[in-house]
Amino acid sequence: MPSTRDIRRRITSVKKTAQITNAMSMVAQAKMARAQQAAIGGRPYAELMNRMLGEVVMHAGDFEHPLMETRGGDRRALILVTTDKGMCGAVNTNLLRLVSDEFIKDDTRVISAGRKGAQHATRAGWDLAAEFSYADRPTFAEARVITKMAVDLFESGEVDHVDIVFSNFINTILQKPEVQTLLPITEIKGVSAGVEGEEMSTELPGGTTEFLFEPSAGGVLGELLPHYLNFQVHQILLEAKASEFSSKMVAMKNATDNANNLIKELTLTFNKMRQAAITNELLEITSAQMALGN
Amino acid sequence: MADTLKLEIVTPESVIYSEDVEMVTLPGSEGETGIYPNHVPLMTKVQSGELVIKRGGAEEILAVGEGFAEITGDHVAILTDNAIDSANVDEAAAEEAKAKAEQRLEEGGDMTEDEAKALNHAILFSAAQLKAKRSRR
């Protein structure tokens, strides 16, 4: 039976934990908002890129590019976008369950973005080709190195497909792991920016003005494609970050609630014990008096 | 007809610049291209380098990275990974980046064509940043 002092000590300790998780939840909320904002900030870029793609695709005619080459082979690279830190609910678990062993074959090269994915890959014995990290505010440069790695693997013929798997941010309480094919580019669609439901239209506009192209429509398109990939990867990183932080926010909110419930229960036990001690003492005093008096 | 151009510089992170200007000189794929209002519609590649803008009689210089430009009679939209307003140039950082890239290029060694190209771009971009910064004084 713990003493009242033990219980009091536990209460203070749980209170401190609650304070920490509460702070973490608030920080995650702010960071999530920032990631969403950053994703929306890419919208003008996406619009302009779609406009340009629309024009060049129309004028490029029959266009061939190394990044669009469909090969028969089945060797694959997978970009695994996970978080760096834990304490963010089930995002990583869900994601890794999706890609698990049946998805990853012996010859699948794994490119990990985020430490958790790399740790899991090593433990599971996957063929880890490279590990990248990305900051809480993923920069375009970070997306570029990841894309470059994937493009190198693809162009050198080491792999025939490149897929990317990440947590898609659906809303604050729902994130869904999703696999997208990155390479080869089979069809040039528009890009979209911004997390959460309100997706941008990915139809390519174009055809209102007759443009001249320098060096040529095909040339511009060829140069545009790598940027198109970079932008996609950058948006995916932002999306993954938004998912991470929203999940973390919910997880930490739950932890705070649990801690608060525990505090309530402990306080109740503490009060009961204190009252029992007082009643006991009173009983002793009265019985002693009764023995002395009369 | 309009006598100004709407210049927009867009990066994946945000819109860096959006103003009505009189003239833009940009580092195009076939050399420097000066663009006045009512230019013929043109889409071109942009090299790393400096963008000279004439606005309200004054000249401004911006550093841009690799990208693309969409030019019509009344607007110029530049899509780039990187653009820095001369006011925000970190001189020391640009200087260092340039020195690093140059050194790496000189050492040579086993370098793919892509890597050499990327280094050249880095040099051009940092040089443009420095120039933009210094022209402000």
Side-chain angles (χ1 to χ4, degrees), chain A residues 13 19 33 42 64 78 103 131 134 144 147 159 171 175 206 210 212-213 219 225 239 249 253 256 277 281 287:
Chain A
S13 132
Q19 266 171 2
E64 270 176 28
L78 182 73
F103 199 88
E131 180 188 345
Y134 57 106
R144 207 156 38 197
T147 318
V159 297
N171 57 42
Q175 299 88 34
E210 271 302 309
L212 290 178
F213 297 96
L225 281 182
E239 188 117 0
M249 180 181 98
K253 177 90 182 40
T256 314
E281 230 168 274
S287 49

PDB file of all heavy atoms in Angstrom, chain A residues 13 19 33 42 64 78 103 131 134 144 147 159 171 175 206 210 212-213 219 225 239 249 253 256 277 281 287:
ATOM      1  N   SER A  13       4.596  14.285 -10.536  1.00  0.00           N
ATOM      2  CA  SER A  13       5.313  13.785 -11.712  1.00  0.00           C
ATOM      3  C   SER A  13       4.375  13.722 -12.934  1.00  0.00           C
ATOM      4  O   SER A  13       4.728  14.151 -14.031  1.00  0.00           O
ATOM      5  CB  SER A  13       5.936  12.428 -11.384  1.00  0.00           C
ATOM      6  OG  SER A  13       5.658  11.492 -12.373  1.00  0.00           O
ATOM      7  N   GLN A  19       2.159  18.652 -18.623  1.00  0.00           N
ATOM      8  CA  GLN A  19       2.598  19.960 -19.126  1.00  0.00           C
ATOM      9  C   GLN A  19       3.432  19.808 -20.392  1.00  0.00           C
ATOM     10  O   GLN A  19       3.250  20.548 -21.359  1.00  0.00           O
ATOM     11  CB  GLN A  19       3.433  20.665 -18.066  1.00  0.00           C
ATOM     12  CG  GLN A  19       2.611  21.590 -17.202  1.00  0.00           C
ATOM     13  CD  GLN A  19       3.416  22.103 -16.034  1.00  0.00           C
ATOM     14  OE1 GLN A  19       4.604  21.790 -15.904  1.00  0.00           O
ATOM     15  NE2 GLN A  19       2.782  22.893 -15.193  1.00  0.00           N
ATOM     16  N   ALA A  33       0.387  23.960 -39.170  1.00  0.00           N
ATOM     17  CA  ALA A  33      -0.138  25.116 -39.892  1.00  0.00           C
ATOM     18  C   ALA A  33       0.922  25.662 -40.829  1.00  0.00           C
ATOM     19  O   ALA A  33       0.629  26.070 -41.958  1.00  0.00           O
ATOM     20  CB  ALA A  33      -0.580  26.193 -38.904  1.00  0.00           C
ATOM     21  N   GLY A  42       3.203  27.239 -52.619  1.00  0.00           N
ATOM     22  CA  GLY A  42       3.693  26.721 -53.890  1.00  0.00           C
ATOM     23  C   GLY A  42       2.672  26.843 -55.003  1.00  0.00           C
ATOM     24  O   GLY A  42       2.942  26.456 -56.133  1.00  0.00           O
ATOM     25  N   GLU A  64       9.977  12.553 -76.853  1.00  0.00           N
ATOM     26  CA  GLU A  64      10.604  11.471 -76.101  1.00  0.00           C
ATOM     27  C   GLU A  64      11.633  12.034 -75.156  1.00  0.00           C
ATOM     28  O   GLU A  64      12.345  12.977 -75.488  1.00  0.00           O
ATOM     29  CB  GLU A  64      11.273  10.481 -77.054  1.00  0.00           C
ATOM     30  CG  GLU A  64      10.324   9.392 -77.472  1.00  0.00           C
ATOM     31  CD  GLU A  64      10.950   8.481 -78.490  1.00  0.00           C
ATOM     32  OE1 GLU A  64      12.180   8.349 -78.476  1.00  0.00           O
ATOM     33  OE2 GLU A  64      10.194   7.925 -79.296  1.00  0.00           O
ATOM     34  N   LEU A  78      12.101   2.550 -54.297  1.00  0.00           N
ATOM     35  CA  LEU A  78      10.993   3.104 -53.535  1.00  0.00           C
ATOM     36  C   LEU A  78      11.525   4.227 -52.653  1.00  0.00           C
ATOM     37  O   LEU A  78      12.461   4.034 -51.892  1.00  0.00           O
ATOM     38  CB  LEU A  78      10.366   2.015 -52.667  1.00  0.00           C
ATOM     39  CG  LEU A  78       9.168   2.461 -51.847  1.00  0.00           C
ATOM     40  CD1 LEU A  78       7.964   2.668 -52.736  1.00  0.00           C
ATOM     41  CD2 LEU A  78       8.866   1.454 -50.764  1.00  0.00           C
ATOM     42  N   PHE A 103       5.599  -5.953 -50.509  1.00  0.00           N
ATOM     43  CA  PHE A 103       5.766  -4.840 -51.434  1.00  0.00           C
ATOM     44  C   PHE A 103       7.232  -4.702 -51.822  1.00  0.00           C
ATOM     45  O   PHE A 103       7.568  -4.406 -52.946  1.00  0.00           O
ATOM     46  CB  PHE A 103       5.284  -3.567 -50.755  1.00  0.00           C
ATOM     47  CG  PHE A 103       4.974  -2.466 -51.703  1.00  0.00           C
ATOM     48  CD1 PHE A 103       3.708  -2.365 -52.269  1.00  0.00           C
ATOM     49  CD2 PHE A 103       5.932  -1.524 -52.035  1.00  0.00           C
ATOM     50  CE1 PHE A 103       3.412  -1.356 -53.151  1.00  0.00           C
ATOM     51  CE2 PHE A 103       5.630  -0.509 -52.924  1.00  0.00           C
ATOM     52  CZ  PHE A 103       4.373  -0.430 -53.485  1.00  0.00           C
ATOM     53  N   GLU A 131      20.014   7.451 -47.658  1.00  0.00           N
ATOM     54  CA  GLU A 131      19.183   7.996 -46.603  1.00  0.00           C
ATOM     55  C   GLU A 131      19.296   9.513 -46.632  1.00  0.00           C
ATOM     56  O   GLU A 131      20.381  10.064 -46.671  1.00  0.00           O
ATOM     57  CB  GLU A 131      19.657   7.464 -45.251  1.00  0.00           C
ATOM     58  CG  GLU A 131      18.844   7.970 -44.096  1.00  0.00           C
ATOM     59  CD  GLU A 131      19.434   7.594 -42.742  1.00  0.00           C
ATOM     60  OE1 GLU A 131      20.311   6.710 -42.698  1.00  0.00           O
ATOM     61  OE2 GLU A 131      19.023   8.213 -41.757  1.00  0.00           O
ATOM     62  N   TYR A 134      15.187  15.576 -43.957  1.00  0.00           N
ATOM     63  CA  TYR A 134      14.614  16.855 -44.377  1.00  0.00           C
ATOM     64  C   TYR A 134      14.114  17.584 -43.146  1.00  0.00           C
ATOM     65  O   TYR A 134      13.662  16.974 -42.193  1.00  0.00           O
ATOM     66  CB  TYR A 134      13.532  16.670 -45.431  1.00  0.00           C
ATOM     67  CG  TYR A 134      12.384  15.770 -45.038  1.00  0.00           C
ATOM     68  CD1 TYR A 134      11.142  16.305 -44.737  1.00  0.00           C
ATOM     69  CD2 TYR A 134      12.550  14.394 -44.976  1.00  0.00           C
ATOM     70  CE1 TYR A 134      10.087  15.483 -44.381  1.00  0.00           C
ATOM     71  CE2 TYR A 134      11.499  13.576 -44.612  1.00  0.00           C
ATOM     72  CZ  TYR A 134      10.276  14.115 -44.311  1.00  0.00           C
ATOM     73  OH  TYR A 134       9.238  13.318 -43.963  1.00  0.00           O
ATOM     74  N   ARG A 144      15.321  18.405 -54.017  1.00  0.00           N
ATOM     75  CA  ARG A 144      16.111  18.224 -55.227  1.00  0.00           C
ATOM     76  C   ARG A 144      17.106  17.074 -55.107  1.00  0.00           C
ATOM     77  O   ARG A 144      17.263  16.291 -56.030  1.00  0.00           O
ATOM     78  CB  ARG A 144      16.833  19.523 -55.560  1.00  0.00           C
ATOM     79  CG  ARG A 144      17.121  19.665 -57.030  1.00  0.00           C
ATOM     80  CD  ARG A 144      17.293  21.090 -57.439  1.00  0.00           C
ATOM     81  NE  ARG A 144      18.002  21.838 -56.404  1.00  0.00           N
ATOM     82  CZ  ARG A 144      18.009  23.147 -56.330  1.00  0.00           C
ATOM     83  NH1 ARG A 144      17.351  23.865 -57.199  1.00  0.00           N
ATOM     84  NH2 ARG A 144      18.665  23.776 -55.382  1.00  0.00           N
ATOM     85  N   THR A 147      15.227  13.774 -55.352  1.00  0.00           N
ATOM     86  CA  THR A 147      14.807  13.517 -56.733  1.00  0.00           C
ATOM     87  C   THR A 147      15.997  13.094 -57.579  1.00  0.00           C
ATOM     88  O   THR A 147      15.899  12.189 -58.403  1.00  0.00           O
ATOM     89  CB  THR A 147      14.194  14.783 -57.357  1.00  0.00           C
ATOM     90  OG1 THR A 147      13.368  15.393 -56.392  1.00  0.00           O
ATOM     91  CG2 THR A 147      13.383  14.435 -58.579  1.00  0.00           C
ATOM     92  N   VAL A 159      17.154   0.699 -62.082  1.00  0.00           N
ATOM     93  CA  VAL A 159      15.760   0.377 -61.777  1.00  0.00           C
ATOM     94  C   VAL A 159      14.886   0.804 -62.947  1.00  0.00           C
ATOM     95  O   VAL A 159      15.274   1.652 -63.751  1.00  0.00           O
ATOM     96  CB  VAL A 159      15.275   1.072 -60.491  1.00  0.00           C
ATOM     97  CG1 VAL A 159      16.062   0.604 -59.292  1.00  0.00           C
ATOM     98  CG2 VAL A 159      15.352   2.577 -60.632  1.00  0.00           C
ATOM     99  N   ASN A 171      -7.144  15.132 -43.574  1.00  0.00           N
ATOM    100  CA  ASN A 171      -7.482  16.252 -42.693  1.00  0.00           C
ATOM    101  C   ASN A 171      -6.752  16.054 -41.378  1.00  0.00           C
ATOM    102  O   ASN A 171      -5.955  15.131 -41.251  1.00  0.00           O
ATOM    103  CB  ASN A 171      -8.997  16.392 -42.506  1.00  0.00           C
ATOM    104  CG  ASN A 171      -9.608  15.114 -41.951  1.00  0.00           C
ATOM    105  OD1 ASN A 171      -9.030  14.494 -41.058  1.00  0.00           O
ATOM    106  ND2 ASN A 171     -10.728  14.719 -42.490  1.00  0.00           N
ATOM    107  N   GLN A 175      -4.861  10.681 -41.789  1.00  0.00           N
ATOM    108  CA  GLN A 175      -3.756  10.671 -42.742  1.00  0.00           C
ATOM    109  C   GLN A 175      -3.720   9.272 -43.347  1.00  0.00           C
ATOM    110  O   GLN A 175      -3.887   8.295 -42.638  1.00  0.00           O
ATOM    111  CB  GLN A 175      -2.420  10.953 -42.059  1.00  0.00           C
ATOM    112  CG  GLN A 175      -2.346  12.304 -41.390  1.00  0.00           C
ATOM    113  CD  GLN A 175      -2.854  12.226 -39.972  1.00  0.00           C
ATOM    114  OE1 GLN A 175      -2.692  11.229 -39.296  1.00  0.00           O
ATOM    115  NE2 GLN A 175      -3.493  13.285 -39.510  1.00  0.00           N
ATOM    116  N   GLY A 206      -3.902  26.108 -71.953  1.00  0.00           N
ATOM    117  CA  GLY A 206      -2.998  26.421 -73.052  1.00  0.00           C
ATOM    118  C   GLY A 206      -3.734  26.656 -74.346  1.00  0.00           C
ATOM    119  O   GLY A 206      -4.922  26.360 -74.487  1.00  0.00           O
ATOM    120  N   GLU A 210       0.041  32.234 -79.285  1.00  0.00           N
ATOM    121  CA  GLU A 210       1.053  31.503 -80.045  1.00  0.00           C
ATOM    122  C   GLU A 210       2.424  31.895 -79.512  1.00  0.00           C
ATOM    123  O   GLU A 210       2.866  33.029 -79.693  1.00  0.00           O
ATOM    124  CB  GLU A 210       0.951  31.871 -81.535  1.00  0.00           C
ATOM    125  CG  GLU A 210      -0.005  30.988 -82.319  1.00  0.00           C
ATOM    126  CD  GLU A 210       0.357  29.514 -82.246  1.00  0.00           C
ATOM    127  OE1 GLU A 210       1.528  29.194 -82.516  1.00  0.00           O
ATOM    128  OE2 GLU A 210      -0.520  28.694 -81.916  1.00  0.00           O
ATOM    129  N   LEU A 212       6.603  31.615 -79.115  1.00  0.00           N
ATOM    130  CA  LEU A 212       7.855  31.155 -79.722  1.00  0.00           C
ATOM    131  C   LEU A 212       8.595  30.401 -78.612  1.00  0.00           C
ATOM    132  O   LEU A 212       8.427  30.715 -77.445  1.00  0.00           O
ATOM    133  CB  LEU A 212       8.726  32.344 -80.143  1.00  0.00           C
ATOM    134  CG  LEU A 212       8.247  33.178 -81.318  1.00  0.00           C
ATOM    135  CD1 LEU A 212       9.225  34.326 -81.521  1.00  0.00           C
ATOM    136  CD2 LEU A 212       8.194  32.317 -82.566  1.00  0.00           C
ATOM    137  N   PHE A 213       9.416  29.440 -78.999  1.00  0.00           N
ATOM    138  CA  PHE A 213      10.147  28.724 -77.975  1.00  0.00           C
ATOM    139  C   PHE A 213      11.632  28.832 -78.208  1.00  0.00           C
ATOM    140  O   PHE A 213      12.099  28.774 -79.338  1.00  0.00           O
ATOM    141  CB  PHE A 213       9.740  27.249 -77.943  1.00  0.00           C
ATOM    142  CG  PHE A 213       8.314  27.052 -77.580  1.00  0.00           C
ATOM    143  CD1 PHE A 213       7.352  26.901 -78.553  1.00  0.00           C
ATOM    144  CD2 PHE A 213       7.931  27.067 -76.256  1.00  0.00           C
ATOM    145  CE1 PHE A 213       6.022  26.746 -78.212  1.00  0.00           C
ATOM    146  CE2 PHE A 213       6.598  26.908 -75.908  1.00  0.00           C
ATOM    147  CZ  PHE A 213       5.642  26.750 -76.895  1.00  0.00           C
ATOM    148  N   GLY A 219      12.831  21.159 -76.377  1.00  0.00           N
ATOM    149  CA  GLY A 219      13.949  21.506 -75.506  1.00  0.00           C
ATOM    150  C   GLY A 219      13.481  22.062 -74.176  1.00  0.00           C
ATOM    151  O   GLY A 219      13.978  21.690 -73.123  1.00  0.00           O
ATOM    152  N   LEU A 225      10.891  19.053 -67.304  1.00  0.00           N
ATOM    153  CA  LEU A 225      10.507  17.815 -66.616  1.00  0.00           C
ATOM    154  C   LEU A 225      11.218  17.581 -65.275  1.00  0.00           C
ATOM    155  O   LEU A 225      10.561  17.235 -64.298  1.00  0.00           O
ATOM    156  CB  LEU A 225      10.707  16.607 -67.543  1.00  0.00           C
ATOM    157  CG  LEU A 225       9.601  16.393 -68.573  1.00  0.00           C
ATOM    158  CD1 LEU A 225       9.886  15.153 -69.401  1.00  0.00           C
ATOM    159  CD2 LEU A 225       8.235  16.272 -67.926  1.00  0.00           C
ATOM    160  N   GLU A 239       3.565  17.635 -47.576  1.00  0.00           N
ATOM    161  CA  GLU A 239       2.385  16.874 -47.189  1.00  0.00           C
ATOM    162  C   GLU A 239       2.721  15.923 -46.048  1.00  0.00           C
ATOM    163  O   GLU A 239       1.986  15.800 -45.075  1.00  0.00           O
ATOM    164  CB  GLU A 239       1.884  16.089 -48.404  1.00  0.00           C
ATOM    165  CG  GLU A 239       0.583  15.415 -48.203  1.00  0.00           C
ATOM    166  CD  GLU A 239      -0.472  15.961 -49.149  1.00  0.00           C
ATOM    167  OE1 GLU A 239      -0.176  16.855 -49.954  1.00  0.00           O
ATOM    168  OE2 GLU A 239      -1.587  15.502 -49.063  1.00  0.00           O
ATOM    169  N   MET A 249       0.099  16.083 -33.061  1.00  0.00           N
ATOM    170  CA  MET A 249      -0.771  16.957 -32.291  1.00  0.00           C
ATOM    171  C   MET A 249      -1.865  16.129 -31.612  1.00  0.00           C
ATOM    172  O   MET A 249      -2.118  16.266 -30.418  1.00  0.00           O
ATOM    173  CB  MET A 249      -1.387  17.980 -33.237  1.00  0.00           C
ATOM    174  CG  MET A 249      -2.311  18.960 -32.607  1.00  0.00           C
ATOM    175  SD  MET A 249      -2.951  20.035 -33.892  1.00  0.00           S
ATOM    176  CE  MET A 249      -4.503  19.243 -34.198  1.00  0.00           C
ATOM    177  N   LYS A 253      -2.243  15.364 -27.661  1.00  0.00           N
ATOM    178  CA  LYS A 253      -3.489  15.812 -27.037  1.00  0.00           C
ATOM    179  C   LYS A 253      -4.077  14.656 -26.217  1.00  0.00           C
ATOM    180  O   LYS A 253      -4.485  14.844 -25.067  1.00  0.00           O
ATOM    181  CB  LYS A 253      -4.456  16.253 -28.152  1.00  0.00           C
ATOM    182  CG  LYS A 253      -5.824  16.685 -27.715  1.00  0.00           C
ATOM    183  CD  LYS A 253      -5.828  18.174 -27.434  1.00  0.00           C
ATOM    184  CE  LYS A 253      -7.176  18.681 -26.949  1.00  0.00           C
ATOM    185  NZ  LYS A 253      -7.883  17.828 -26.020  1.00  0.00           N
ATOM    186  N   THR A 256      -2.101  14.117 -23.088  1.00  0.00           N
ATOM    187  CA  THR A 256      -2.418  15.125 -22.076  1.00  0.00           C
ATOM    188  C   THR A 256      -3.722  14.765 -21.371  1.00  0.00           C
ATOM    189  O   THR A 256      -3.826  14.844 -20.141  1.00  0.00           O
ATOM    190  CB  THR A 256      -2.553  16.512 -22.723  1.00  0.00           C
ATOM    191  OG1 THR A 256      -1.466  16.704 -23.603  1.00  0.00           O
ATOM    192  CG2 THR A 256      -2.568  17.609 -21.689  1.00  0.00           C
ATOM    193  N   ALA A 277      -6.964   8.515   7.335  1.00  0.00           N
ATOM    194  CA  ALA A 277      -5.966   8.733   8.382  1.00  0.00           C
ATOM    195  C   ALA A 277      -6.536   9.613   9.482  1.00  0.00           C
ATOM    196  O   ALA A 277      -6.378   9.341  10.680  1.00  0.00           O
ATOM    197  CB  ALA A 277      -4.707   9.353   7.779  1.00  0.00           C
ATOM    198  N   GLU A 281      -7.289   8.684  13.417  1.00  0.00           N
ATOM    199  CA  GLU A 281      -6.693   9.417  14.521  1.00  0.00           C
ATOM    200  C   GLU A 281      -7.768   9.838  15.523  1.00  0.00           C
ATOM    201  O   GLU A 281      -7.611   9.693  16.741  1.00  0.00           O
ATOM    202  CB  GLU A 281      -5.985  10.653  13.978  1.00  0.00           C
ATOM    203  CG  GLU A 281      -4.553  10.793  14.491  1.00  0.00           C
ATOM    204  CD  GLU A 281      -3.823  11.855  13.711  1.00  0.00           C
ATOM    205  OE1 GLU A 281      -3.254  11.540  12.634  1.00  0.00           O
ATOM    206  OE2 GLU A 281      -3.871  13.007  14.148  1.00  0.00           O
ATOM    207  N   SER A 287     -11.311   7.019  21.684  1.00  0.00           N
ATOM    208  CA  SER A 287     -11.295   5.786  22.477  1.00  0.00           C
ATOM    209  C   SER A 287     -10.345   5.927  23.662  1.00  0.00           C
ATOM    210  O   SER A 287     -10.637   5.427  24.760  1.00  0.00           O
ATOM    211  CB  SER A 287     -10.922   4.578  21.614  1.00  0.00           C
ATOM    212  OG  SER A 287      -9.778   4.858  20.851  1.00  0.00           O
TER     213      SER A 287
END
